[in-house]
Amino acid sequence: MSLLPLQTLALFALASLLLALTPGPNWVYLLSRTLCQGRRAGLVSWAGTTLGFSFHMAAAVLGLSALLLAVPYAYDAVRWLGVAYLLYLAWATLRGARDLTGPNAQLAAVPNRTLFTQGVVSSILNPKIALFYLALLPQFIDPARGSTMLQGLGLGMVQIVVTGLADVSLVFVAALVARSLMRHPAWLRTQRMVLGSAFGVLALWLAASRKPA
């Protein structure tokens, strides 16, 4: 007997798609990276944010997400660590935007390793992702059908695939827009401001998050 009935998978995939199509921090991050640095940067960043989802999925299945929410101040500690990291990225990016008219105004190519790592860390340090897994997975797991861990991993993989497809589609669309923007000198001069501001918006977004009662 299958651990994951087709009907359960379909409903969970639909719920995951609806959530994936809701603009959030990942959208802001992927859009800003792609618009400012092109498709390659967007795809590598997307790979990082997707791996971050895998971390939270595994943590939820193992019960770490529940521990994060149960231990006093743990949620806020992770949240503020994420805020500090994003503010650092904003500062580091805007620091290079002091001369917006010079020959170095355009963003230099960022190594794939850096883009990937920033995507992973941004996802891991967002406790809202842990809340998503903790709130959604239990609704679709049936202990009577066997291993709850295997069911959780299976559902988590469905969510990652659905969200990954939605996010990578966003990157490709943004890449088409970026190709047009790259022809305009005004855009090249303001890339750092846009990307740095995006990191700042993400930091404010995360700082405004509150642990649910």
Side-chain angles (χ1 to χ4, degrees):
M1 179 165 52
S2 174
L3 290 174
L4 296 169
L6 183 59
Q7 181 180 4
T8 299
L9 287 172
L11 289 173
F12 186 79
L14 177 60
S16 299
L17 178 61
L18 292 176
L19 288 170
L21 295 178
T22 303
N26 267 19
W27 277 44
V28 175
Y29 178 72
L30 293 175
L31 276 173
S32 60
R33 274 298 186 195
T34 307
L35 290 175
C36 291
Q37 296 174 292
R39 184 174 61 184
R40 177 192 66 85
L43 289 175
V44 176
S45 299
W46 164 79
T49 57
T50 301
L51 182 61
F53 274 112
S54 302
F55 172 87
H56 283 286
M57 180 265 289
V61 171
L62 295 174
L64 298 180
S65 292
L67 181 63
L68 172 69
L69 298 179
V71 176
Y73 308 115
Y75 179 94
D76 282 338
V78 174
R79 179 165 62 93
W80 286 112
L81 185 60
V83 170
Y85 173 71
L86 290 168
L87 286 176
Y88 164 76
L89 292 180
W91 172 79
T93 304
L94 291 173
R95 183 179 56 177
R98 288 172 296 185
D99 181 9
L100 297 178
T101 59
N104 297 321
Q106 183 177 356
L107 280 168
V110 178
N112 288 345
R113 182 176 180 179
T114 300
L115 292 169
F116 181 80
T117 301
Q118 288 182 353
V120 172
V121 175
S122 294
S123 279
I124 289 178
L125 292 181
N126 185 353
K128 300 293 285 186
I129 301 176
L131 286 177
F132 162 75
Y133 278 106
L134 191 62
L136 195 62
L137 284 182
Q139 310 303 319
F140 292 86
I141 292 178
D142 182 5
R145 299 195 65 87
S147 171
T148 57
M149 179 174 291
L150 288 179
Q151 290 183 65
L153 289 173
L155 290 169
M157 291 304 298
V158 170
Q159 191 277 333
I160 290 171
V161 169
V162 171
T163 302
L165 290 174
D167 286 350
V168 79
S169 299
L170 176 72
V171 168
F172 277 108
V173 171
L176 293 176
V177 177
R179 186 180 303 175
S180 175
L181 290 175
M182 292 299 180
R183 303 189 184 101
H184 300 282
W187 172 250
L188 298 179
R189 290 194 298 268
T190 56
Q191 284 178 318
R192 289 184 183 274
M193 292 295 294
V194 172
L195 185 58
S197 298
F199 284 131
V201 168
L202 286 174
L204 293 175
W205 195 322
L206 192 54
S209 300
R210 289 292 183 270
K211 178 179 175 180

